[in-house]
Amino acid sequence: MVIMEYCLPLMSPRYPFVPSWKPQTSICDILKVFPTVGIELERLGLPPDAVHDCITVGEAANHVGWNTYTLLNFLIPIADSNVNPESKPSKQADQQESSIDLVYALRADHVRLLGAWIGPIREQWEAWESKGYPPDLPQLAILRDEFETLCAEISCHFLLEEEELFPYAIELHEACSAQVTTQEAFKILDDKSLTDDGEIIVLVDLLEHLLLRIPTEFKTSSDTNGVRLNQGDANQESALDIGRGLWGNLLAFRESWLRHEAKEAAELFPRILELENHLLRKN
């Protein structure tokens, strides 16, 4: 997969994972990533109309009598970092268990990328616009529109993985863990649906193209090196600071997102291939 060619720095995962959604986040925003959230809320006694009306997470928590983050931890699957390796009976079982953990970790990445990065970056764009873009840089408004397009495409990509790729990996794991007929095995393999590498490459190219066109003055440190702006330029100074902060967050988002895609390429897809081969040999 071409994504693996990107050189990504190693960073330790931050577990236990704390969802970055906020109480004012719309339930509909979470549904874009986790379609089963609606069913879980109804199971807790939330009326279907409330879900369809896109109430906030805080309102949903108040309805069921839970703390907001307790509700989020219930709704959103996270990786179990406390698995005891000694409890696993065999090497094959260890590989299969790891595939499930990997899916949960990738789902946690989706929440972090959409909630902890895209959400705040969108707020920075809005703050930047409210301060007034530097008047000689009208292309910034165009770049914001392109960023929103990128966000929509990434959200759709994540949703496709939630609806097709991850369930397929879990179904393979379950089939390899139990005795299934040859007919059932081939039906699982025939129904496989994997994400397209080309789609990811296009999205990465779109982000890189956007970053290249961010004006140079926003790619520098906020340190003015002793140069003081006039009092009348205070508003522009603030806009510059927001722009520099936005640039830093865009770079951090790119790093985090590419690391997520590389994890899929280097770990999830080879694991799926192993499970497919095991299922064929088993049947």
Side-chain angles (χ1 to χ4, degrees), residues 64-85:
V64 300
W66 287 11
N67 173 275
T68 301
Y69 292 102
T70 299
L71 178 62
L72 285 168
N73 277 308
F74 171 79
L75 295 174
I76 299 171
I78 62 175
D80 183 2
S81 60
N82 299 313
V83 176
N84 180 8

Side-chain angles (χ1 to χ4, degrees), residues 30 36 42 54 87 95 130 163 182 196-197 201 220-221 239 260:
I30 299 180
T36 58
E42 291 180 22
C54 297
S87 65
Q95 291 176 341
S130 69
E163 291 181 336
T182 302
D196 182 9
D197 293 357
I201 295 170
T220 59
S221 169
H260 168 78

Side-chain angles (χ1 to χ4, degrees), residues 197-211:
D197 293 357
E199 174 191 342
I200 300 170
I201 295 170
V202 168
L203 293 180
V204 172
D205 287 345
L206 180 60
L207 176 58
E208 295 294 340
H209 186 56
L210 187 154
L211 293 175

